[in-house]
Amino acid sequence: MLARFTDPARRTLIRAGTLALDAGRPALTPDLLLLALAEIRPFSLERFTVTAEDVRGQVDLGDARELLATLGIDLDAVHRRTREGTSDPARWRLTRSRLKPLRMTLYGPLGAVPLAMHARKAVEVAMWRPGAVTGERLLWGLLADYSNGVGRILRDGGVDLRALVEEAGIPVARTA
């Protein structure tokens, strides 16, 4: 499934999976996918004004850095030494279960992480149209479902959602 993703979009999904595994989360959630989008920025949307720090402040990563620092362990140094090559897209794959078609799992050298319902929906929306899955399409997928909380995070980060949707060319259903 990752073969349909552009390289920046693929790296974004892999980064989101890495964030989920690092945080000890049972699944990859939409807030982590948004954080990965904010970090990698696989698009050139001027209206996507939120920074990775803004999103990180609203996402619970369960960061153990402070606890490990009291023991004299630098978590960033550990990651640099132990994670070489783990972000290589060729070493990751996204699969859908044949027995449970609503289950998508991202597999990589750091482990496996299933996509939570709203993250799976975002990826499915991004893949819905033929062609390559881009960063813009991942954003479309996240914004297609108001109940996943991404809109709130973006709004709290100072993003004008209406202008972002217009700039990104996200199809919006018009009511009479």
Side-chain angles (χ1 to χ4, degrees), residues 14-159:
I14 290 168
R15 176 65 181 144
T18 301
L19 288 167
L21 290 167
D22 284 349
R25 296 245 187 124
L28 190 159
T29 55
D31 57 342
L32 295 177
L33 187 52
L34 178 64
L35 178 56
L37 279 170
E39 286 182 359
I40 295 178
R41 295 200 178 270
F43 42 68
S44 60
L45 299 172
E46 292 180 17
R47 302 292 184 167
F48 191 84
T49 56
V50 71
T51 65
E53 291 76 30
D54 293 337
V55 177
R56 192 178 304 277
Q58 298 184 60
V59 175
D60 178 23
L61 294 175
D63 203 358
R65 279 178 171 73
E66 292 178 24
L67 178 62
L68 292 172
T70 61
L71 300 171
I73 300 170
D74 180 5
L75 187 58
D76 292 326
V78 171
H79 282 173
R80 279 191 301 275
R81 290 182 179 188
T82 60
R83 300 239 168 136
E84 192 170 319
T86 59
S87 61
D88 177 12
R91 299 180 69 188
W92 291 81
R93 70 190 199 307
L94 178 66
T95 62
R96 180 185 303 276
S97 170
R98 289 183 183 194
L99 298 176
K100 298 179 181 179
L102 295 180
R103 185 174 189 92
M104 276 187 183
T105 305
L106 183 64
Y107 294 95
L110 299 175
V113 60
L115 276 64
M117 176 184 69
H118 292 293
R120 178 189 49 81
K121 285 170 57 177
V123 170
E124 286 178 340
V125 167
M127 295 179 71
W128 180 64
R129 290 186 175 175
V133 176
T134 62
E136 287 89 350
R137 282 187 167 186
L138 286 174
L139 181 62
W140 288 7
L142 287 173
L143 292 176
D145 182 8
Y146 70 92
S147 65
N148 66 17
V150 167
R152 179 191 50 77
I153 294 171
L154 289 171
R155 198 175 10 174
D156 291 349
V159 173

